Amino acid sequence: MSTTIRPRVWLVAGLGAEPDPTDHPVVRDHLMRQWIPGSRGSYHTADGRHHANWTELHTRFDLVEVTQ
């Protein structure tokens, strides 16, 4: 019997029950950009063009954890 790990979801409107992560997961926003954790708690897109901290990401975008 295997258990499926479901990705966490954070909605911009705060409708979800998922608390802010204590780890630094790779996430994808609703514009399909992947955000990768960097140093000092910041995130950047794969192409390096966009930078934000977790609060900025969670305030602006619906986020889904990338599990693979």
Side-chain angles (χ1 to χ4, degrees):
M1 179 186 220
S2 65
T3 57
T4 303
I5 297 174
R6 294 179 53 195
R8 295 174 284 180
V9 176
W10 297 272
L11 300 176
V12 72
L15 298 174
E18 193 69 47
D20 287 350
T22 55
D23 56 346
H24 298 284
V26 175
V27 293
R28 187 175 308 276
D29 67 21
H30 60 272
L31 300 173
M32 298 308 291
R33 290 182 296 205
Q34 186 167 316
W35 292 87
I36 302 164
S39 60
R40 297 175 292 216
S42 64
Y43 280 79
H44 60 88
T45 54
D47 61 8
R49 293 181 57 204
H50 303 280
H51 296 84
N53 63 34
W54 178 259
T55 302
E56 292 170 318
L57 286 177
H58 190 220
T59 302
R60 296 179 183 167
F61 306 110
D62 291 334
L63 302 167
V64 176
E65 181 177 24
V66 176
T67 58
Q68 292 186 25

